[in-house]
Amino acid sequence: MAGFFLPLSGGIDSASVALIVSSMCHMVVYAVGEDNDNQVLRDVRSLTRLPNYTPTDPAELCEKILVTAYMGTSNSSEETQKRSGALSRDIGSYHVNVSIG
């Protein structure tokens, strides 16, 4: 397994963590593209297990390293599910909805 898994509840705590990972993806793309940082490139290739991958888009990188999941029950609101889905689309994470009820 490579990368991160984050349950998105639709609340501020999990959203903050998702945004931190997204911010990291922006920093990696900048470091590889603008700073030509070969160590960062080697690290991202190691993490993604894609030896020829060069990240050029933060959302694309985020999809490769961050899996988010909304894990709802019968008590979960439709609003929290919508918020988690919207955030995952905005940052580019691979997202699934799972019923744990």
Side-chain angles (χ1 to χ4, degrees):
M1 187 83 192
F4 307 93
F5 173 78
L6 177 66
L8 280 181
S9 65
I12 193 71
D13 295 337
S14 60
S16 296
V17 174
L19 290 174
I20 289 169
V21 175
S22 176
S23 217
M24 177 195 66
C25 291
H26 281 78
M27 292 170 67
V28 165
V29 168
Y30 183 85
V32 169
E34 298 296 321
D35 291 342
N36 295 312
D37 191 323
N38 288 324
Q39 183 59 55
V40 172
L41 182 58
R42 284 191 298 274
D43 291 344
V44 77
R45 286 177 173 173
S46 175
L47 178 64
T48 61
R49 297 184 181 158
L50 298 169
N52 297 315
Y53 176 62
T54 300
T56 58
D57 178 62
E60 177 192 65
L61 175 58
C62 194
E63 183 183 26
K64 293 182 181 324
I65 66 167
L66 178 62
V67 174
T68 55
Y70 179 77
M71 299 190 294
T73 69
S74 59
N75 297 319
S76 301
S77 73
E78 188 176 315
E79 182 60 32
T80 58
Q81 182 177 8
K82 285 181 183 177
R83 283 195 304 250
S84 69
L87 176 59
S88 69
R89 282 188 299 280
D90 286 346
I91 65 172
S93 66
Y94 181 85
H95 186 73
V96 294
N97 290 312
V98 179
S99 174
I100 60 170

